[in-house]
Structures are given as C-alpha cells and as structure tokens.
Coordinates of all heavy atoms in Angstrom, one line a residue:
M146 N 0.8 -1.1 0.0 CA 0.0 0.0 0.0 C 0.9 1.2 0.0 O 1.9 1.3 0.7 CB -0.9 0.0 1.3 CG -1.9 1.1 1.3 SD -2.9 0.9 2.7 CE -4.3 1.8 2.2
S147 N 0.6 2.2 -0.9 CA 1.4 3.4 -0.9 C 1.1 4.3 0.3 O 0.0 4.3 0.9 CB 1.1 4.1 -2.1 OG -0.2 4.6 -2.3
E148 N 2.0 5.2 0.6 CA 1.9 6.1 1.6 C 1.0 7.2 1.2 O 0.9 7.7 0.2 CB 3.3 6.8 2.0 CG 3.3 7.7 3.1 CD 4.9 8.1 3.3 OE1 5.7 7.5 2.7 OE2 4.9 9.2 3.9
A149 N 0.1 7.6 2.2 CA -0.9 8.7 1.9 C -0.2 10.1 2.0 O 0.7 10.2 2.8 CB -2.0 8.7 2.9
T150 N -0.6 11.0 1.2 CA -0.1 12.3 1.2 C -1.1 13.2 2.1 O -2.3 13.1 1.9 CB -0.1 13.0 -0.2 OG1 0.9 12.2 -1.0 CG2 0.4 14.4 -0.3
K151 N -0.5 13.9 3.0 CA -1.4 14.9 3.8 C -1.0 16.3 3.6 O 0.2 16.8 3.4 CB -1.0 14.5 5.3 CG -1.8 15.3 6.3 CD -1.3 14.9 7.7 CE -2.0 15.8 8.8 NZ -1.6 15.5 10.1
I152 N -2.0 17.1 3.4 CA -1.9 18.6 3.3 C -2.5 19.2 4.6 O -3.6 19.0 4.9 CB -2.7 19.1 2.0 CG1 -2.0 18.4 0.8 CG2 -2.3 20.7 1.9 CD1 -2.8 18.7 -0.5
T153 N -1.8 20.1 5.2 CA -2.2 20.7 6.4 C -2.0 22.3 6.2 O -1.0 22.7 5.6 CB -1.2 20.4 7.6 OG1 -1.2 19.0 7.7 CG2 -1.6 21.0 8.8
T154 N -3.1 23.0 6.4 CA -3.1 24.4 6.3 C -2.6 25.0 7.7 O -2.9 24.6 8.7 CB -4.5 25.1 6.0 OG1 -5.3 24.7 7.0 CG2 -4.9 24.5 4.7
L155 N -1.6 26.0 7.5 CA -1.2 26.7 8.8 C -1.9 28.0 8.8 O -2.0 28.7 7.8 CB 0.3 26.9 8.7 CG 1.2 25.7 8.7 CD1 2.7 26.0 8.9 CD2 0.8 24.8 10.0
D156 N -2.4 28.4 10.0 CA -3.1 29.7 10.1 C -2.1 30.8 9.6 O -1.0 31.0 10.1 CB -3.5 30.0 11.5 CG -4.8 29.4 11.9 OD1 -5.6 29.0 10.9 OD2 -5.2 29.4 13.0
H157 N -2.6 31.5 8.6 CA -1.8 32.6 8.0 C -0.5 32.4 7.6 O 0.6 33.1 7.8 CB -1.8 33.8 9.1 CG -3.1 34.1 9.7 ND1 -4.2 34.4 9.0 CD2 -3.5 34.0 11.0 CE1 -5.2 34.6 9.8 NE2 -4.9 34.3 11.1
G158 N -0.4 31.1 7.0 CA 1.1 30.6 6.6 C 0.7 29.6 5.4 O -0.4 29.6 4.9
P159 N 1.8 28.9 5.1 CA 1.8 27.9 4.0 C 0.9 26.7 4.1 O 0.4 26.4 5.2 CB 3.3 27.6 3.9 CG 3.8 27.6 5.3 CD 3.0 28.7 6.0
F160 N 0.8 26.0 3.1 CA 0.2 24.7 3.1 C 1.4 23.6 3.3 O 2.5 23.8 2.7 CB -0.3 24.3 1.7 CG -1.6 24.9 1.4 CD1 -1.6 25.8 0.3 CD2 -2.7 24.8 2.1 CE1 -2.8 26.5 0.0 CE2 -3.9 25.3 1.8 CZ -3.9 26.2 0.7
L161 N 1.4 22.8 4.3 CA 2.5 21.8 4.5 C 2.0 20.6 3.9 O 0.9 20.1 4.0 CB 2.6 21.5 6.0 CG 3.1 22.8 6.9 CD1 3.4 22.3 8.3 CD2 4.4 23.3 6.3
V162 N 2.8 20.0 3.0 CA 2.6 18.7 2.3 C 3.5 17.7 2.7 O 4.8 17.9 2.7 CB 2.6 18.9 0.8 CG1 2.3 17.6 0.0 CG2 1.7 20.1 0.2
T163 N 3.0 16.6 3.2 CA 3.8 15.6 3.8 C 3.4 14.2 3.0 O 2.2 14.0 2.9 CB 3.4 15.3 5.3 OG1 3.7 16.5 6.0 CG2 4.3 14.2 5.9
G164 N 4.4 13.6 2.6 CA 4.2 12.3 1.8 C 4.7 12.5 0.4 O 5.1 13.6 0.0
P165 N 4.6 11.5 -0.4 CA 5.0 11.5 -1.8 C 4.0 12.5 -2.6 O 3.0 12.5 -2.4 CB 4.8 10.1 -2.3 CG 3.9 9.4 -1.4 CD 4.0 10.1 0.0
V166 N 4.8 13.4 -3.4 CA 4.1 14.4 -4.2 C 4.9 14.7 -5.3 O 6.2 14.8 -5.3 CB 3.8 15.6 -3.4 CG1 5.0 16.3 -2.9 CG2 2.8 16.5 -4.1
L167 N 4.3 14.9 -6.5 CA 4.9 15.3 -7.7 C 4.3 16.7 -7.9 O 3.1 16.8 -8.2 CB 4.7 14.5 -8.9 CG 5.2 15.1 -10.2 CD1 6.8 15.3 -10.2 CD2 4.9 14.1 -11.3
L168 N 5.0 17.8 -7.9 CA 4.6 19.2 -8.1 C 4.9 19.6 -9.4 O 6.1 19.7 -9.7 CB 5.2 20.0 -6.9 CG 4.7 21.5 -7.0 CD1 3.2 21.7 -6.8 CD2 5.4 22.3 -5.9
T169 N 3.9 20.0 -10.3 CA 4.1 20.5 -11.6 C 3.5 21.8 -11.7 O 2.4 22.0 -11.4 CB 3.5 19.5 -12.6 OG1 4.0 18.2 -12.4 CG2 3.8 19.9 -14.0
D170 N 4.3 22.8 -12.3 CA 3.7 24.1 -12.5 C 2.9 24.3 -13.7 O 2.8 23.3 -14.5 CB 4.7 25.3 -12.4 CG 5.7 25.3 -13.6 OD1 5.5 24.6 -14.5 OD2 6.7 26.1 -13.5
A171 N 2.4 25.4 -14.1 CA 1.5 25.7 -15.3 C 2.3 25.4 -16.6 O 1.7 25.2 -17.6 CB 1.0 27.0 -15.3
E172 N 3.6 25.5 -16.5 CA 4.4 25.3 -17.7 C 4.9 23.9 -17.9 O 5.7 23.6 -18.7 CB 5.6 26.3 -17.7 CG 5.2 27.8 -17.7 CD 6.4 28.7 -17.6 OE1 7.5 28.2 -17.2 OE2 6.1 29.8 -17.9
G173 N 4.5 23.0 -16.9 CA 4.9 21.5 -17.0 C 6.1 21.4 -16.3 O 6.7 20.2 -16.4
K174 N 6.8 22.3 -15.6 CA 8.1 22.2 -14.9 C 7.8 21.4 -13.6 O 7.0 21.9 -12.9 CB 8.7 23.5 -14.7 CG 10.0 23.4 -14.0 CD 10.6 24.8 -13.8 CE 11.8 24.8 -12.9 NZ 12.4 26.1 -12.6
N175 N 8.5 20.4 -13.4 CA 8.4 19.6 -12.1 C 9.4 20.1 -11.1 O 10.5 20.4 -11.4 CB 8.7 18.1 -12.4 CG 7.6 17.5 -13.3 OD1 6.5 17.9 -13.3 ND2 8.0 16.4 -14.2
F176 N 8.9 20.0 -9.9 CA 9.6 20.4 -8.7 C 9.8 19.2 -7.8 O 8.8 18.6 -7.5 CB 9.0 21.5 -7.9 CG 8.9 22.8 -8.6 CD1 7.8 23.0 -9.5 CD2 9.9 23.7 -8.4 CE1 7.8 24.3 -10.2 CE2 9.8 24.9 -9.0 CZ 8.8 25.2 -9.9
H177 N 11.1 18.8 -7.6 CA 11.3 17.7 -6.7 C 11.9 18.1 -5.5 O 12.5 19.2 -5.3 CB 12.3 16.7 -7.4 CG 11.8 16.2 -8.7 ND1 10.9 15.1 -8.7 CD2 12.0 16.5 -9.9 CE1 10.6 14.8 -10.0 NE2 11.4 15.7 -10.7
S178 N 11.6 17.4 -4.4 CA 12.1 17.7 -3.1 C 12.5 16.5 -2.3 O 11.8 15.5 -2.4 CB 11.1 18.5 -2.2 OG 11.6 18.8 -1.0
E179 N 13.6 16.5 -1.7 CA 14.1 15.3 -0.9 C 13.5 15.4 0.5 O 13.6 14.4 1.3 CB 15.6 15.3 -0.8 CG 16.3 15.2 -2.3 CD 16.0 14.0 -3.0 OE1 15.8 12.8 -2.3 OE2 15.7 14.0 -4.2
R180 N 12.9 16.4 0.8 CA 12.3 16.6 2.1 C 11.0 15.7 2.2 O 10.3 15.6 1.4 CB 11.9 18.0 2.5 CG 13.2 18.9 2.4 CD 12.8 20.2 2.8 NE 13.9 21.1 2.9 CZ 14.0 22.3 3.3 NH1 12.9 22.8 3.7 NH2 15.1 23.1 3.3
E181 N 10.8 15.3 3.6 CA 9.5 14.5 3.8 C 8.3 15.5 3.9 O 7.3 15.1 3.5 CB 9.7 13.9 5.2 CG 8.5 12.9 5.6 CD 8.8 12.2 6.8 OE1 9.9 11.6 6.9 OE2 7.9 12.2 7.8
T182 N 8.5 16.7 4.2 CA 7.5 17.7 4.3 C 7.9 19.0 3.6 O 9.1 19.4 3.8 CB 7.1 18.1 5.7 OG1 6.6 16.8 6.4 CG2 6.1 19.1 5.8
I183 N 7.1 19.5 2.7 CA 7.4 20.7 2.0 C 6.3 21.8 2.4 O 5.1 21.4 2.7 CB 7.5 20.6 0.5 CG1 6.2 20.1 -0.1 CG2 8.7 19.7 0.1 CD1 6.2 20.1 -1.7
A184 N 6.7 23.0 2.3 CA 5.7 24.2 2.6 C 5.6 24.9 1.3 O 6.5 25.4 0.8 CB 6.3 25.1 3.8
L185 N 4.3 25.0 0.9 CA 3.9 25.7 -0.4 C 3.3 27.1 0.0 O 2.4 27.1 0.8 CB 2.9 24.9 -1.1 CG 3.4 23.6 -1.6 CD1 2.3 22.8 -2.3 CD2 4.6 23.6 -2.5
C186 N 3.9 28.1 -0.7 CA 3.5 29.4 -0.4 C 2.0 29.6 -0.8 O 1.6 29.2 -1.9 CB 4.3 30.4 -1.2 SG 3.8 32.1 -1.0
R187 N 1.2 30.3 0.0 CA -0.1 30.7 -0.4 C -0.4 32.2 -0.2 O -1.5 32.8 -0.4 CB -1.2 29.9 0.3 CG -1.3 30.1 1.8 CD -2.5 29.2 2.2 NE -2.6 29.2 3.6 CZ -3.6 29.1 4.4 NH1 -4.7 28.9 3.8 NH2 -3.6 29.1 5.7
C188 N 0.7 32.9 0.2 CA 0.6 34.4 0.4 C 0.9 35.1 -0.9 O 0.6 36.3 -1.0 CB 1.4 34.9 1.6 SG 3.1 35.0 1.2
G189 N 1.7 34.5 -1.8 CA 2.2 35.2 -3.0 C 3.5 35.9 -2.8 O 4.0 36.5 -3.8
G190 N 4.1 36.0 -1.6 CA 5.3 36.8 -1.3 C 6.5 36.1 -1.3 O 7.6 36.8 -1.3
S191 N 6.5 34.8 -1.6 CA 7.8 34.0 -1.5 C 8.6 34.4 -2.6 O 8.2 34.6 -3.8 CB 7.5 32.6 -1.4 OG 8.7 31.8 -1.4
T192 N 9.9 34.5 -2.4 CA 10.8 34.5 -3.6 C 11.3 33.2 -4.1 O 12.1 33.2 -5.0 CB 12.1 35.4 -3.2 OG1 12.8 34.8 -2.2 CG2 11.7 36.8 -2.7
T193 N 10.8 32.2 -3.5 CA 11.2 30.9 -3.8 C 10.0 30.0 -4.3 O 10.0 28.8 -4.0 CB 12.0 30.2 -2.8 OG1 11.2 30.0 -1.5 CG2 13.3 30.9 -2.4
K194 N 9.0 30.6 -4.8 CA 7.8 30.0 -5.2 C 8.1 28.7 -6.1 O 9.0 28.8 -6.8 CB 6.8 30.9 -6.0 CG 6.3 32.0 -5.1 CD 5.3 32.9 -6.0 CE 5.0 34.2 -5.4 NZ 6.1 35.2 -5.6
P195 N 7.4 27.7 -6.0 CA 6.1 27.5 -5.2 C 6.3 27.3 -3.6 O 5.4 27.0 -2.9 CB 5.4 26.4 -5.7 CG 6.6 25.5 -6.3 CD 7.7 26.5 -6.6
F196 N 7.6 27.4 -3.2 CA 7.9 27.1 -1.9 C 7.7 28.3 -0.9 O 8.1 29.4 -1.3 CB 9.2 26.3 -1.6 CG 9.4 25.2 -2.5 CD1 10.0 25.2 -3.7 CD2 8.5 23.9 -2.1 CE1 10.1 24.0 -4.5 CE2 8.7 22.9 -3.0 CZ 9.4 22.8 -4.2
C197 N 7.4 28.1 0.3 CA 7.4 29.2 1.3 C 8.9 29.5 1.8 O 9.6 28.6 2.0 CB 6.5 28.7 2.5 SG 6.5 29.9 4.0
D198 N 9.1 30.8 1.9 CA 10.4 31.2 2.4 C 10.2 32.1 3.7 O 11.1 32.7 4.1 CB 11.2 32.0 1.4 CG 10.5 33.4 1.0 OD1 9.5 33.7 1.6 OD2 11.2 34.1 0.2
G199 N 9.0 32.1 4.3 CA 8.8 32.7 5.5 C 8.3 34.2 5.3 O 8.1 35.0 6.3
A200 N 8.2 34.7 4.1 CA 7.9 36.0 3.8 C 6.5 36.3 4.3 O 6.1 37.5 4.6 CB 7.9 36.3 2.3
H201 N 5.6 35.3 4.5 CA 4.3 35.6 5.0 C 4.2 36.3 6.3 O 3.4 37.2 6.6 CB 3.5 34.2 5.0 CG 4.0 33.2 5.9 ND1 4.9 32.3 5.5 CD2 3.8 33.1 7.2 CE1 5.3 31.5 6.6 NE2 4.6 32.0 7.6
S202 N 5.2 36.0 7.1 CA 5.3 36.7 8.5 C 5.5 38.1 8.3 O 4.9 39.0 9.0 CB 6.4 36.0 9.3 OG 6.0 34.6 9.5
K203 N 6.5 38.4 7.4 CA 6.9 39.9 7.3 C 5.7 40.7 6.6 O 5.6 41.9 6.8 CB 8.2 40.0 6.3 CG 9.3 39.4 7.1 CD 10.6 39.4 6.1 CE 11.7 38.5 6.7 NZ 12.6 38.0 5.7
L204 N 5.0 40.0 5.7 CA 3.9 40.6 5.0 C 2.6 40.8 5.8 O 1.7 41.5 5.4 CB 3.6 39.8 3.7 CG 4.7 39.7 2.6 CD1 4.4 38.9 1.6 CD2 5.1 41.2 2.1
G205 N 2.6 40.1 6.9 CA 1.4 40.0 7.8 C 0.2 39.3 7.1 O -1.0 39.7 7.3
F206 N 0.5 38.3 6.3 CA -0.5 37.6 5.5 C -1.6 37.0 6.5 O -1.4 36.5 7.5 CB 0.2 36.4 4.8 CG -0.7 35.5 4.1 CD1 -1.6 35.9 3.1 CD2 -0.9 34.1 4.5 CE1 -2.3 35.1 2.4 CE2 -1.8 33.3 3.9 CZ -2.6 33.7 2.8
Q207 N -2.8 37.3 6.1 CA -4.0 36.9 6.8 C -4.8 36.0 5.8 O -5.5 36.5 5.0 CB -4.9 38.1 7.2 CG -4.2 38.9 8.2 CD -4.0 38.4 9.6 OE1 -5.0 37.9 10.2 NE2 -2.8 38.4 10.1
A208 N -4.7 34.6 6.2 CA -5.6 33.7 5.4 C -7.0 33.8 5.7 O -7.3 33.6 6.9 CB -5.0 32.4 5.5
A209 N -7.8 34.0 4.8 CA -9.3 34.1 5.1 C -10.0 32.7 5.1 O -11.0 32.6 5.8 CB -10.0 35.0 4.1
E210 N -9.5 31.8 4.4 CA -10.1 30.6 4.2 C -9.8 29.6 5.2 O -8.7 29.5 5.7 CB -9.9 30.0 2.8 CG -8.6 29.4 2.5 CD -7.6 30.5 2.1 OE1 -7.9 31.8 2.1 OE2 -6.4 30.2 1.8
K211 N -10.8 28.8 5.6 CA -10.6 27.7 6.5 C -11.2 26.5 5.8 O -12.1 26.6 4.9 CB -11.5 27.9 7.8 CG -10.9 29.0 8.6 CD -9.8 28.6 9.4 CE -9.3 29.6 10.3 NZ -8.1 29.4 11.0
A212 N -10.8 25.2 6.1 CA -11.4 24.0 5.5 C -12.9 23.9 6.1 O -13.1 24.2 7.2 CB -10.6 22.9 6.0
V213 N -13.7 23.5 5.2 CA -15.1 23.5 5.6 C -15.4 22.0 5.7 O -15.1 21.2 4.7 CB -16.0 24.2 4.4 CG1 -17.5 24.0 4.7 CG2 -15.7 25.7 4.3
Q214 N -16.1 21.7 6.7 CA -16.5 20.3 7.0 C -17.5 19.8 5.9 O -18.5 20.6 5.8 CB -17.0 20.2 8.4 CG -17.4 18.7 8.7 CD -16.1 18.0 9.2 OE1 -15.1 18.5 9.6 NE2 -16.1 16.7 8.9
Q215 N -17.2 18.8 5.2 CA -18.3 18.4 4.2 C -19.3 17.5 5.0 O -18.8 16.5 5.7 CB -17.6 17.7 3.0 CG -16.8 18.6 2.3 CD -16.2 18.0 1.0 OE1 -15.9 16.7 1.0 NE2 -16.1 18.7 0.0
A216 N -20.5 17.5 4.5 CA -21.5 16.6 5.0 C -21.3 15.2 4.5 O -20.9 15.0 3.3 CB -22.9 17.1 4.6
E217 N -21.5 14.2 5.3 CA -21.3 12.8 4.8 C -22.5 12.3 4.1 O -23.7 12.7 4.5 CB -20.9 11.9 6.0 CG -19.6 12.2 6.6 CD -19.2 11.3 7.7 OE1 -19.6 10.0 7.6 OE2 -18.4 11.6 8.5
N218 N -22.3 11.6 3.1 CA -23.5 11.2 2.3 C -24.1 9.9 2.8 O -23.5 9.1 3.4 CB -23.1 11.0 0.9 CG -22.7 12.3 0.2 OD1 -23.3 13.3 0.5 ND2 -21.8 12.2 -0.8
Ligands
FES499 S1 3.1 31.4 2.7 FE1 5.1 31.6 3.4 S2 6.1 32.9 2.0 FE2 4.0 32.7 1.3

C-alpha cells in the first residue's frame, strides 16, 4: 500500500505537504524535493515559489479561508 499524502493548512501561513508528491507548475516544470514535508506558499510573497520562504510573516499575511467540513452522504 502506498503512503498517503497529507496537506495541512497553517493559520496565516503555507500549506504543509507531507508524503509523496509530484509538483508540476503551469508550464509543466516539475519540482522535486528530498524533504519529507514541504511548505507551499499561499501568500504570494515568497521569492522561492512555489515554496514558502517565510515572507508571509513579514507581510502580515491573513488567510481568510478555512477548511469547511463536508456533510457525509
Ligand atoms: S506562505 Fe510563506 S512565504 Fe508565502
């Protein structure tokens, strides 16, 4: 059985992605990481996009969205 990939949102910070992942940008460029967990920028301020470089703290990024519980069918 393959390992599950987990995505965690940090309040006013990046998405943490743990587990196997292939990240491809809009131009088809693949990003590989040897790390077990990667942080993806969602504030738009990182100089190392798609990865978080901590700029969200300096920018005072305020994430408005929260995960919404889905009703079970
Ligand atoms: S979320 Fe950290 S730099 Fe954008």
Side-chain angles (χ1 to χ4, degrees):
M146 182 176 207
S147 64
E148 184 179 344
T150 300
K151 178 181 178 185
I152 302 173
T153 305
T154 59
L155 295 187
D156 271 349
H157 314 303
F160 292 113
L161 297 183
V162 182
T163 303
V166 62
L167 172 62
L168 179 61
T169 305
D170 72 8
E172 297 175 346
K174 182 179 175 184
N175 291 329
F176 293 86
H177 297 280
S178 175
E179 299 300 318
R180 297 181 177 190
E181 186 174 309
T182 299
I183 59 173
L185 298 178
C186 178
R187 66 176 173 152
C188 75
S191 175
T192 59
T193 60
K194 292 181 196 81
F196 304 104
C197 171
D198 68 357
H201 59 271
S202 295
K203 295 175 192 157
L204 297 172
F206 174 63
Q207 297 288 308
E210 69 275 7
K211 295 281 186 187
V213 177
Q214 186 80 29
Q215 292 185 330
E217 293 187 29
N218 295 329

